[in-house]
Amino acid sequence: MIPVKGYAAEAVKVPLAPFNFERREVGPHDVLIDIQFCGVCHSDLHQVRDEWGGSIFPMVPGHEIVGRISKVGDHVTKFKVGDLAGVGCMVDSCRTCPSCQEGLEQYCETTGMVGTYNSREIESGAPTYGGYSNQIVVDEKYTLKVSDTLDLARVAPLLCAGITTYSPLREWKVSPGHRVGVMGLGGLGHMAVKLAAAMGAEVTVLSTSPNKEADAKELGAHKFVVTKDEEQLKSVTNYFDFIINTVSAQLDLATYVNLLRRDGTMILLGVPTEAPHIHAFNLISNRRRIAGSLIGGIAETQEMLDFCAEHNIMSDIELINIADINDAYERMLKGDVKYRFVIDIATL
Ligand code: NAP
Ligand code: ZN
Ligand code: ZN
């Protein structure tokens, strides 16, 4: 076993603290990654606080991982020692079901995807531990290639916030002529703005925070709507082809669904604790749709990383020491983050 240092929540609602644990030995298809940076996703916070139920403790969160490969298994072909590498939200799946075969491993139909943390390895049943740690062992099939032309700390959030917003934009073929609304300018939201703008859409940020307007425009948004302002909200009624909903908290969904034009689609990405409520009338008028999307497959994640390298797209981050992770969670809850916290793992 490989001894590893990390930060863990020992139980629900307990602050994260230093935690020593062991990783499996590097198998024939595995790579060992010396982690350099790990992004902080709102999903980390939901799971540490067991807001979705079934959390496994102790929990080492973190699924926006970048670093350098320090060891490879005998059968590894994609990577060599010294390469940069990334790991996102999943580290395994059954590999044989129709979804896995189609490269949609996140929708694995037999075992389900194995999450990078708060999950269990398929054969051993051992809990998985994430990227708030100095090393990780991952099968090369679930490891991504990372370009050395970008700022590595700013690449980390692409592994979740990037792919989670890229995948639905591609699935619904967002392109020039489309009007896209992005609800919530946080980690996912700011990536949605950059990516949708790069794909040529007209982008409007729908935010509860008036002070984010200048940033939104700088990120590439064409319009900014303060959703608490009724007049502003009214100005975009029946307006959008797509709304990317990244809000992590419960809100009145109908208010926002009414912003969709005929045949418009709202894609749910945020996962509030409470189930959303919607009346059939909000959907049957204008033949509107509500859909959902979960991260993205491995091949699509690589495609997104390559797209970002080509278009020079990175996350806007605040680099933090790992000892400040609990404060970072509190700030994230208040929407006080521009626009992703990234842990400098050298501070571990
Ligand atoms: P985040 O950085 O905290 O951003 C969430 C944003 O939502 C906030 O910045 C804020 O934006 C808005 N917001 C927060 N509370 C609100 C409230 N009470 N009412 C209205 N707006 C509110 O979070 P994130 O990391 O982007 O994650 C967002 C959600 O996506 C989380 O629930 C996370 O678990 C989920 N997620 C899903 C997937 C997936 O595969 N579907 C992947 C990753 C994350 P404004 O200040 O602009 O209003
Ligand atoms: Zn995430
Ligand atoms: Zn499968």
Side-chain angles (χ1 to χ4, degrees):
M1 301 293 271
I2 301 170
V4 176
K5 285 196 300 185
Y7 255 60
E10 287 277 3
V12 65
K13 295 193 177 125
V14 171
L16 271 70
F19 175 67
N20 294 325
F21 61 105
E22 291 181 326
R23 302 272 189 198
R24 65 168 187 261
E25 288 294 343
V26 177
H29 299 281
D30 288 337
V31 297
L32 176 67
I33 302 170
D34 293 347
I35 301 174
Q36 295 181 15
F37 300 102
C38 184
V40 179
C41 180
H42 206 112
S43 301
D44 301 349
L45 182 53
H46 286 307
Q47 291 175 91
V48 159
R49 302 198 172 179
D50 199 19
E51 290 174 354
W52 299 336
S55 284
I56 303 168
F57 294 99
M59 185 189 299
V60 178
H63 58 207
E64 293 184 335
I65 300 167
V66 290
R68 217 171 264 287
I69 301 220
S70 58
K71 193 172 178 184
V72 296
D74 292 343
H75 297 313
V76 168
T77 56
K78 250 168 70 178
F79 296 95
K80 58 181 192 318
V81 170
D83 285 352
L84 290 176
V87 180
C89 301
M90 62 182 153
V91 288
D92 203 359
S93 64
C94 88
R95 305 171 189 219
T96 54
C97 74
S99 291
C100 284
Q101 290 285 312
E102 285 174 55
L104 295 165
E105 301 90 347
Q106 73 275 34
Y107 304 116
C108 176
E109 294 154 47
T110 48
T111 58
M113 72 172 212
V114 177
T116 302
Y117 68 90
N118 193 26
S119 191
R120 292 190 184 277
E121 288 181 357
I122 293 172
E123 271 176 29
S124 69
T128 56
Y129 295 120
Y132 298 6
S133 60
N134 62 344
Q135 288 186 309
I136 190 166
V137 178
V138 185
D139 188 308
E140 66 164 338
K141 194 171 157 46
Y142 296 81
T143 306
L144 288 309
K145 285 186 180 288
V146 170
S147 159
D148 58 7
T149 61
L150 301 178
D151 177 351
L152 201 57
R154 297 182 60 198
V155 168
L158 303 181
L159 275 305
C160 175
I163 183 58
T164 301
T165 48
Y166 181 89
S167 185
L169 292 170
R170 281 296 192 229
E171 173 63 20
W172 277 275
K173 300 185 170 54
V174 167
S175 50
H178 283 140
R179 294 171 178 166
V180 174
V182 175
M183 282 171 69
L185 194 64
L188 266 60
H190 92 292
M191 289 312 306
V193 170
K194 290 186 186 218
L195 292 167
M199 292 173 194
E202 182 205 275
V203 182
T204 303
V205 169
L206 301 161
S207 175
T208 59
S209 309
N211 62 351
K212 292 182 182 174
E213 177 162 5
D215 288 344
K217 300 266 169 76
E218 217 158 283
L219 292 164
H222 306 91
K223 292 176 176 228
F224 187 86
V225 167
V226 180
T227 53
K228 288 187 262 185
D229 180 325
E230 274 185 33
E231 279 307 304
Q232 288 196 34
L233 202 59
K234 230 169 97 190
S235 73
V236 284
T237 302
N238 297 330
Y239 187 79
F240 297 104
D241 297 291
F242 301 100
I243 294 177
I244 306 285
N245 181 348
T246 77
V247 175
S248 50
Q250 182 67 349
L251 43 68
D252 177 32
L253 211 55
T255 303
Y256 299 92
V257 164
N258 288 342
L259 307 182
L260 292 170
R261 71 202 297 185
R262 201 202 72 222
D263 291 324
T265 303
M266 176 185 284
I267 297 133
L268 302 179
L269 298 181
V271 192
T273 316
E274 305 290 318
H277 294 283
I278 191 86
H279 196 285
F281 273 126
N282 296 110
L283 296 173
I284 64 178
S285 44
N286 271 341
R287 199 162 57 186
R288 298 178 176 118
R289 297 157 210 184
I290 297 183
S293 186
L294 177 67
I295 55 170
I298 295 297
E300 193 173 47
T301 305
Q302 191 63 62
E303 179 189 305
M304 175 276 309
L305 287 168
D306 298 345
F307 178 90
C308 288
E310 187 186 325
H311 294 264
N312 201 34
I313 293 174
M314 291 171 278
S315 176
D316 286 26
I317 66 161
E318 183 176 332
L319 199 61
I320 60 166
N321 293 345
I322 198 156
D324 295 328
I325 185 63
N326 297 299
D327 292 339
Y329 282 172
E330 291 306 322
R331 285 182 54 196
M332 187 155 65
L333 273 178
K334 288 187 245 153
D336 173 24
V337 45
K338 293 187 168 181
Y339 278 90
R340 196 58 140 187
F341 291 119
V342 171
I343 303 168
D344 181 354
I345 296 296
T347 63
L348 188 77

